[in-house]
Amino acid sequence: MTHLDTPVSPIVLGAMSFGTLVDEDTSFALLDRFVERGGVWIDTADCYSFWASESGHGGASEAVLGRWFAARPGVRDRIRLSTKVGAEPLWPGSWPEHRAGLSPRAIHDAVSGSLDRLGIDTIDLLWLHQEDRAVPIEETVDGLAVLTGDGIVRRVGASNHPAWRIERARAHARTIGSIPIDAFQLNSTYLRVRPGTRPPGVIHRFGVMSDEQHDYAVENGLETWAYTPLLSGAYDNDAKPVPEEYDHPGSDRRLRVLTEIAADRGLERGQVVLAWQLARGIRPILGGSRLSQLDTAIDAASVILTEDERSRLDAAV
């Protein structure tokens, strides 16, 4: 499906809406194009997308991916699959108060369900979807250690966690000789929300990437992934206004610079955003529903910003 000379793309394909808002035929088309364009990482979760499903539970995204793997013999060898545990509602309508959580038993049961739906025997990267203060992080790490020790999970990461809990988790993993968390997944884009606010849909207290979380990741060699990097299309789609949480003078200045650089380079503003993130060592997750969106994002991965462009983008505050 892909040529040997096709460059590997650092863009992650987000499968959150597959099987719910994105039908199966479209999902398969996106997945096929992703592989053709050199894509490697696909990101999903056991709870996707419970809010859009008839049952009130997740699993639709993983099930679509499982059927795609089954229909494309050999593709699993070229794809790295990441999924998440901990945020599935215990019963319809119970989230966020009552969710699966991150106890060793909950993690084990969630992974078993994910493997069944995906039709695979190994998860390349398992994310802790959101922190669970009801469970000591050391117990969570003990549960992960069983899975990595058995070879069921190759790597572990954390989404929507504060840096201090990741540090505690990594310290415990070193103590017991298990594989430590080596990846962070957080909300990140070029614009910044007003202090005291969060982007739409981000209810997690530590879900928006802070300077501290990014610094911690860089200093400790953690891979960093960004969800909702393009503000759901608001950078380039006039029908999707920039959320009001970003409405402040700093955003005006950043949008002005972004617009200038995009015009000078003949690019969309969203492509400059993706190129800027990649230049900072952040792997963006694309959750689009059209082939054109996917192609535009993958094209952006080949854009190399100059030092002057990066300085102008960084300095606009």
Side-chain angles (χ1 to χ4, degrees):
M1 295 175 68
T2 183
H3 299 293
L4 292 177
D5 58 352
T6 300
V8 173
S9 175
I11 301 293
V12 178
L13 179 60
M16 183 173 70
S17 297
F18 290 5
T20 48
L21 300 180
V22 179
D23 65 60
E24 188 151 324
D25 288 344
T26 303
S27 299
F28 274 37
L30 288 164
L31 289 160
D32 289 343
R33 179 67 64 84
F34 184 65
V35 174
E36 290 169 4
R37 294 294 309 271
V40 174
W41 279 103
I42 299 171
D43 183 66
T44 185
D46 67 338
C47 71
Y48 289 164
S49 291
F50 69 82
W51 55 91
S53 71
E54 294 182 359
S55 68
H57 283 292
S61 173
E62 289 182 331
V64 167
L65 288 169
R67 291 190 287 273
W68 179 70
F69 283 132
R72 305 288 189 268
V75 76
R76 178 70 180 101
D77 296 333
R78 300 199 295 273
I79 286 295
R80 297 293 174 265
L81 194 284
S82 77
T83 192
K84 311 179 191 70
V85 296
E88 170 69 359
L90 291 180
W91 60 86
S94 69
W95 192 90
E97 290 82 7
H98 303 286
R99 49 192 168 85
L102 297 176
S103 69
R105 172 68 179 273
I107 292 171
H108 176 273
D109 290 349
V111 167
S112 294
S114 290
L115 293 174
D116 286 345
R117 286 186 291 272
L118 290 162
I120 60 178
D121 54 17
T122 304
I123 294 169
D124 298 300
L125 174 54
L126 181 69
W127 299 98
L128 306 177
H129 203 156
Q130 58 185 108
E131 64 168 336
D132 181 2
R133 294 285 176 100
V135 178
I137 193 68
E138 292 81 3
E139 291 184 16
T140 296
V141 172
D142 290 340
L144 294 171
V146 174
L147 295 169
T148 56
D150 290 343
I152 296 171
V153 170
R154 292 195 173 102
R155 295 172 54 198
V156 290
S159 180
N160 306 308
H161 278 64
W164 70 266
R165 282 180 71 83
I166 305 308
E167 175 61 22
R168 183 173 289 182
R170 284 167 54 83
H172 184 64
R174 289 191 292 268
T175 297
I176 65 175
S178 69
I179 295 176
I181 288 170
D182 69 358
F184 230 158
Q185 185 176 146
L186 299 158
N187 173 273
S188 177
T189 186
Y190 178 58
L191 298 184
R192 298 171 178 171
V193 295
R194 295 193 311 276
T197 68
R198 296 178 199 148
V202 180
I203 71 160
H204 314 292
R205 186 156 52 127
F206 299 100
V208 179
M209 187 184 300
S210 66
D211 289 341
E212 180 185 23
Q213 287 165 318
H214 186 240
D215 181 64
Y216 175 82
V218 171
E219 291 298 318
N220 290 278
L222 272 69
E223 195 171 300
T224 309
W225 295 22
Y227 64 82
T228 325
L230 297 180
L231 299 181
S232 301
Y235 285 110
D236 296 295
N237 187 346
D238 292 338
K240 293 185 176 181
V242 174
E244 66 94 13
E245 288 84 355
Y246 296 94
D247 186 10
H248 57 86
S251 289
D252 295 338
R253 289 188 286 270
R254 285 171 92 79
L255 284 172
R256 191 176 307 118
V257 172
L258 187 64
T259 301
E260 291 170 358
I261 291 174
D264 289 344
R265 297 288 293 269
L267 300 168
E268 293 187 358
R269 295 196 303 189
Q271 289 181 301
V272 177
V273 171
L274 296 178
W276 174 78
Q277 287 191 315
L278 288 167
R280 300 176 72 223
I282 298 172
R283 189 188 290 269
I285 304 171
L286 181 76
S289 59
R290 296 196 302 272
L291 293 177
S292 59
Q293 294 172 324
L294 178 58
D295 284 332
T296 298
I298 292 178
D299 289 345
S302 64
V303 174
I304 306 299
L305 298 174
T306 66
E307 274 192 41
D308 176 67
E309 288 169 336
R310 286 189 61 187
S311 296
R312 289 167 60 197
L313 287 165
D314 291 341
V317 294

